[in-house]
Amino acid sequence: MKKFFAMLLTLAMVLSLAACGGGGSQPSGGSSSNGGASGDKVVKIGVFEPATGDSGAGGKQEMLGMQYANKETPTVVIGGETYAVELVYADNASSADKAPTAASQLVSQDVSLVLGTYGSGCAIAGGPVFGEAGLAAIGVTCTNPGVTAGNDYYFRICFLDPFQGTVLANFASEKFSAKKAYLLGELGNDYDQGLLNYFEQAFDGECVKDSFPPNTSDFSTYLNKAVAEGVDVIFCPVSIAYSTQIVKLAASMNLDIPILGSDTLDSNKVLDAAKGSDVQIYVSTFYQEGGAPDFDNGIKAWLNEDSTAMTNNGGNDTIAAVTAMGYDAYYVALEALKAAGSPDKAAVKAALPSLTYTGVSGDIAFDEVGDAIRDTAYIKTADNAAGAWTLETVQTAK
Amino acid sequence: MQYAISILLSGVSLGGQYALIAIGYTMVYGILRLINFAHGDVFMVAGLMMVYLTASLPLAASIPLVLVLTVLLGFIIERAAYKPLREAPRMSVMISAIGVSYLLQNLATYITGGLPQMYPEIPGISATVTIAGVPTKWVTIVTPVLVLVLVLALTQLIHHTKVGMAMRAVAKDFETAQLMGIKINAVISVTFVIGSFLAAVGSVLYFTNYQSIVPLSGSLPGLRAFVAAVFGGIGSIPGAVVGAFIIGLSESVIKGSSWSIFSDAFTFALLIIILVVKPTGLFGEKVTDKV
Amino acid sequence: MKKTISKSTWMTLLCTAALLALVVLLENVLDPNKNIMVFTALKKGAVYALVAVSMNLLNGFTGLFSLGQAGFMLLGAYTYAILTIPVAQRDAVYYIYNGSAVNFSLPELFGGGAFGLVLGVVAALILGGCVAAAVAWLIGLPVLRLKSDYLAIATLGFGEIIRAVFQWDKLGPVTNGANALKNFPTFSNFNIQNANGETVLRLSTFTAFLLAGICIAVIVLLINSTYGRAFKAIRDDEVAAEAMGINLSKHKRLAFVISSFFAGVGGGMFAMFANQAQAKTFTTAMTYEILLIVVIGGIGSVSGSCIAAFLYVAASEWWLRFLDAETFVGGFKVPLLRNGFRMVVFSVVIMIVVLFFRRGIMGDKELPDLFKKRRKEKAK
């Protein structure tokens, strides 16, 4: 019996490997709900985003932007023919060891180009897979310089960590005349540590730097340390799961030191955590609600009628900047397809570098490395009475 | 000074919460010689249940319900995943425990969609109180007291009831106890019920303090609590409690120092040192209420 | 007797060679983009097979329950990456620390080109293994005195400590702190290109198979040697083994060090597969994954671990992916299917294997054993 079971499994493996080898690509991955809605021709856009793992929440919000854009514009005219756009998803689970297989999944499904991902670690791990397949990828909110450096096939539409760190450091000096800052990030997280580093370099004053181990939930010691050190600002560019805890804790401690955060803190979960308290939160981000009223109203209406989308957005209709970025990324992809004149991935790749597009988050153009040429960041502050973001200032790099 | 007090406070409350989890580890290990890797995840699931129950039920109904459901979960895990392997080598049972932990985490990811969940405010213990100029929550003060009460009740149970006697007998010698007519399976189930109950209480206290729950929320407190159980001498309840407070305090102190990135590493280094120098832990075999 | 052994050895060798040839053939015949999943799964499977076999050597053959595998893989991956990143790329990779403290790269030291690449990569992998082995020797001094689950938890803790050390920003110029190490040679660098940059011969999957195959072969030879028999004796009964004159501590340490060596090599190969090395990838969850592979394959079976590694990788990251997507059959939305469901199904499958097929796919048998039995039955 046992032996039979063993042989059966072995046989199954051999057979399926052979079958997949012979049969070519099978549509084993996800397919979008409205693929093939109109027209016979379908162009596929890969969505390389985390839906699980520690940046799952952010990845989902980013996908919302793409899904909404896909709903708004489900077709594209390429070279005189109308194609239906199909989004093909692959979950990279926020983990660098799952990213190469997720990326391969997209390559095998013959997508024309790829959008994503939320975090830089997965983009770096998946990038070479795309590069090898000659498939262009547009990073949506991966801000680490390492994503595009040395990879001709990776582009991105967001600003970079050095820029964001500098902007926040300047803001801290200007707004609060801060002389001493407490920097807190997750140990071993390249995003957090990179930003802390750039902040430290740009900040004119003393920095106390701390890192907490992954899966920490007790932040009271860290916040108390900041109080004891007598710092003027706290900078914690951590992922959503940690930032909600830090903000909650700060709220219950009645912390009066302003908290600065990066684009990850721009989430309605953070607003929820801060609601009704006196915590001052300032985040730098890509988009401020109200910047494009049509987009705002449209996506809010969609969120309110689609309950799954609403859940993925964290239960209310506050628009996260990553959603706006996802929305823009989709349209950049459409522009690239139009410019290429064919859904062929090599043509799309060739069309990307010279592309320009004005999206809801601003003008998008790529420099020679493939990074977006951007020099503005929105700094928002949490209005704790209303539970909404308000625009504080628009900061440019100096 | 204020800073020192704040570190002390957070250390004590952490220690109390670890203690409640550690007791579950130490009791199960005492009887089955099994590191119940899923225990930390049971703790996390208890937290999630609270989040979902309070969404539709009043708090007064959800707290008892969470306790009951968690106990049920612990009972089912033991019956489904550990009982069939009673005759199997210890490694198989441990692997089964790892499998359960994997399953619970993946289920939690599926249900929450990976989004952090906010634990509800519990009136009374969620309120803020100021001690010597340090603002903290009532739960910080309630925790050690509650731990003390529960541990006293537990030791009474173990020393002065029939079930307690049976547990001690099983812990001393599995087979002989069986021969003496003790219903092993019932005793083991009781152990899991008690462990899960304490984990549920621990989760109420812990998540009131640190309100956001993600699927991995249980793994780290779980591991630390296990280290605490080993530190105190595995199998010994007072040992687990003392160990938990030591681990909680030292974690807090290290986080407060400039070596904060090694706070986890320190916990494990401590574990290795204890295991090598004094494998029986602080309270070792001498304390005989090995349950 | 002697003849049958050599015969089966020849058969095994022949089969392995045929397998390698098949891999080369498949990779060059099939469309590399349409079938990329096959090759990605095969590459990852090969890496996991090696790591699983190295874990099996310890857990299955010597009876030492260690959970430090991810830690040793981390050591191997970092050593490999640090030694092979091209000098010209170092400033870009270590951009936060303004360049690396290690300013040479093995493939370049060996003269660059194809020859330098092969030699450099192999040397770096071996050195990665050596670092892991050296650390294992040090750790083993105190830790190996512990019994079963205490050993497990101590090695688990060790993995966590290693990770924290490698993420420490004071060591940044060497380890690149929290940032990923990248731009080092990966499996794809072994594809042979012509002058125009077009790939003429794809050897990336073959390279992964060859490296893993050689290492596994060495482990098999070790298991079949006197040392291997001593390991098994220790597993079955420590006291009896000691009475038979086997030096317990020496053999335990040997098994631990050798297993860690191959875990280190596997770690280096994992970095080659993942295109980057970053400490936060090597978590306890990874050790658990490998442990589950060992269990599914059968504790004490090398071929079982190999088969299970490929099955595990393919099932969890490829075949079951459809469970993650919301699917419509006609107008009917299939219930339950959404993100995360794949892993739920997968963990249920694992629980079923652990509970009901406790001996795994192969038990403690090897593939050739199965055929041998068949033949005997036929002879009857």
Side-chain angles (χ1 to χ4, degrees), chain A residues 57 60 210 217 225 245 248 269, chain B residues 3 113 206 211 256-257 260:
Chain A
K60 278 184 172 160
D210 239 336
S217 44
K225 195 196 268 183
Q245 305 212 11
K248 262 278 178 205
K269 288 272 173 190
Chain B
Y3 182 43
Y206 188 84
Q211 281 179 307
S257 76
S260 63

Side-chain angles (χ1 to χ4, degrees), chain A residues 90-153:
Chain A
D91 174 16
N92 60 35
S94 332
S95 142
D97 68 321
K98 305 279 187 285
T101 38
S104 305
Q105 181 88 30
L106 291 175
V107 171
S108 73
Q109 300 205 12
D110 245 352
V111 297
S112 299
L113 80 168
V114 171
L115 303 180
T117 173
Y118 178 80
S120 301
C122 290
I124 291 174
V129 177
F130 297 133
E132 230 172 281
L135 185 62
I138 302 176
V140 185
T141 52
C142 35
T143 46
N144 189 304
V147 173
T148 49
N151 190 336
D152 288 342
Y153 289 84

Side-chain angles (χ1 to χ4, degrees), chain C residues 80-81 84-86 105 107 117 121 183-190 268 271-272:
Chain C
Y80 171 77
T84 55
I85 296 175
S105 145
L117 176 73
V121 165
N183 292 350
F184 45 77
T186 63
F187 290 132
S188 311
N189 290 52
F190 288 88
M272 290 172 82

Side-chain angles (χ1 to χ4, degrees), chain C residues 73-350:
Chain C
M73 282 175 75
L74 185 153
L75 287 170
Y78 266 78
T79 315
Y80 171 77
I82 291 168
L83 291 177
T84 55
I85 296 175
V87 175
Q89 303 273 8
R90 289 201 180 237
D91 282 346
V93 173
Y94 289 84
Y95 63 92
I96 282 188
Y97 302 97
N98 301 320
S100 160
V102 183
N103 272 315
F104 63 89
S105 145
L106 284 182
E108 287 167 19
L109 275 190
F110 288 116
F115 177 71
L117 176 73
V118 172
L119 214 59
V121 165
V122 170
L125 283 176
I126 292 176
L127 280 173
C130 291
V131 169
V135 173
W137 187 78
L138 279 177
I139 301 284
L141 288 178
V143 164
L144 282 177
R145 291 194 305 196
L146 302 171
K147 288 252 163 20
S148 64
D149 21 17
Y150 282 114
L151 175 65
I153 204 85
T155 44
L156 188 90
F158 153 74
E160 298 285 322
I161 295 173
I162 282 278
R163 217 173 64 230
V165 170
F166 273 78
Q167 290 169 335
W168 192 22
D169 58 354
K170 296 267 162 25
L171 293 177
V174 180
T175 62
N176 209 8
N179 265 300
L181 291 167
K182 50 174 211 142
N183 292 350
F184 45 77
T186 63
F187 290 132
S188 311
N189 290 52
F190 288 88
N191 288 338
I192 296 172
Q193 294 182 329
N194 63 12
N196 301 331
E198 288 161 4
T199 309
V200 254
L201 187 62
R202 293 182 181 274
L203 289 178
S204 60
T205 315
F206 169 75
T207 312
F209 267 70
L210 186 68
L211 288 173
I214 293 173
C215 294
I216 292 172
V218 173
I219 297 178
V220 170
L221 287 179
L222 179 85
I223 289 170
N224 292 332
S225 71
T226 36
Y227 286 112
R229 281 192 287 279
F231 292 162
K232 285 183 208 163
I234 293 174
R235 170 190 66 186
D236 293 338
D237 193 331
E238 279 195 14
V239 182
E242 200 166 21
M244 298 293 286
I246 293 172
N247 185 339
L248 274 190
S249 61
K250 182 186 144 201
H251 279 87
K252 278 187 178 177
R253 201 178 311 137
L254 192 69
F256 193 58
V257 167
I258 293 175
S259 160
S260 308
F261 174 84
F262 287 109
V265 175
M269 286 174 61
F270 182 82
M272 290 172 82
F273 162 76
N275 305 316
Q276 49 109 281
Q278 194 177 14
K280 75 171 176 183
T281 328
F282 299 93
T283 53
T284 332
M286 189 183 238
T287 308
Y288 290 166
E289 261 186 347
I290 298 158
L291 177 67
L292 290 172
I293 290 177
V294 172
V295 173
I296 293 170
I299 297 171
S301 163
V302 172
S303 40
S305 292
C306 296
I307 295 172
F310 286 104
L311 274 180
Y312 185 96
V313 169
S316 73
E317 295 187 32
W318 178 18
W319 297 334
L320 293 180
R321 258 191 202 274
F322 71 93
L323 291 172
D324 265 4
E326 291 178 355
T327 314
F328 290 84
V329 179
F332 173 70
K333 184 175 177 297
V334 183
L336 293 177
L337 294 190
R338 66 180 151 97
N339 263 314
F341 192 60
R342 169 176 56 124
M343 290 317 284
V344 174
V345 171
F346 193 59
S347 32
V348 170
V349 171
I350 286 174

Side-chain angles (χ1 to χ4, degrees), chain A residues 51-52 57 60 187 210-211 213-218 220-222 224-225 228 240-241 244-245 248 252-253 269 311, chain B residues 3 6 10 14 109 113 115-116 118 121 128 135 137 206 210-212 214 216 220 252 255-257 260-261 263-264:
Chain A
T52 49
K60 278 184 172 160
L187 177 63
D210 239 336
S211 297
N215 296 328
T216 298
S217 44
D218 171 25
S220 51
T221 315
Y222 298 114
N224 281 323
K225 195 196 268 183
I240 296 178
T244 46
Q245 305 212 11
K248 262 278 178 205
S252 70
M253 282 170 64
K269 288 272 173 190
T311 320
Chain B
Y3 182 43
S6 72
S10 92
L14 265 182
T109 308
L115 300 169
M118 274 296 152
E121 301 265 338
T128 308
K137 286 184 181 175
Y206 188 84
Y210 317 117
Q211 281 179 307
S212 148
V214 291
L216 283 176
L220 207 60
S252 213
K255 274 184 182 166
S257 76
S260 63
I261 64 164
S263 67
D264 268 10

Side-chain angles (χ1 to χ4, degrees), chain A residues 36-269:
Chain A
S38 63
D40 293 324
K41 300 220 165 188
V42 174
V43 59
K44 290 180 183 169
I45 297 179
V47 178
F48 181 56
E49 289 282 356
T52 49
D54 56 357
S55 22
K60 278 184 172 160
Q61 287 186 323
E62 203 159 293
M63 280 190 270
L64 283 178
M66 301 175 196
Q67 284 158 349
Y68 172 65
N70 182 240
K71 202 175 154 63
E72 195 180 71
T73 317
T75 58
V76 59
V77 180
I78 307 170
E81 280 184 276
T82 307
Y83 283 75
V85 182
E86 184 186 338
L87 295 177
V88 179
Y89 304 96
D91 174 16
N92 60 35
S94 332
S95 142
D97 68 321
K98 305 279 187 285
T101 38
S104 305
Q105 181 88 30
L106 291 175
V107 171
S108 73
Q109 300 205 12
D110 245 352
V111 297
S112 299
L113 80 168
V114 171
L115 303 180
T117 173
Y118 178 80
S120 301
C122 290
I124 291 174
V129 177
F130 297 133
E132 230 172 281
L135 185 62
I138 302 176
V140 185
T141 52
C142 35
T143 46
N144 189 304
V147 173
T148 49
N151 190 336
D152 288 342
Y153 289 84
Y154 232 109
F155 298 82
R156 86 176 108 202
I157 60 166
C158 55
F159 50 60
L160 271 66
D161 287 343
F163 170 72
Q164 189 171 204
T166 314
V167 159
L168 282 165
N170 290 343
F171 177 73
S173 311
E174 284 165 19
K175 165 99 182 170
F176 307 106
S177 338
K179 286 279 157 271
K180 194 170 179 184
Y182 182 70
L183 317 181
L184 183 63
E186 184 188 357
L187 177 63
N189 189 325
D190 44 352
Y191 176 81
D192 300 15
Q193 300 296 333
L195 273 174
L196 295 191
N197 196 57
Y198 293 119
F199 187 95
E200 196 177 12
Q201 281 173 10
F203 186 65
D204 182 23
E206 193 188 338
C207 289
V208 183
K209 209 163 152 186
D210 239 336
S211 297
F212 57 86
N215 296 328
T216 298
S217 44
D218 171 25
F219 290 97
S220 51
T221 315
Y222 298 114
L223 290 187
N224 281 323
K225 195 196 268 183
V227 174
E229 292 274 358
V231 298
D232 302 312
V233 288
I234 296 175
F235 178 50
C236 57
V238 295
S239 69
I240 296 178
Y242 301 121
S243 52
T244 46
Q245 305 212 11
I246 293 175
V247 170
K248 262 278 178 205
L249 191 67
S252 70
M253 282 170 64
N254 295 323
L255 192 76
D256 56 0
I257 307 171
I259 297 178
L260 298 186
S262 57
D263 57 298
T264 46
L265 264 74
D266 177 18
S267 156
N268 39 18
K269 288 272 173 190

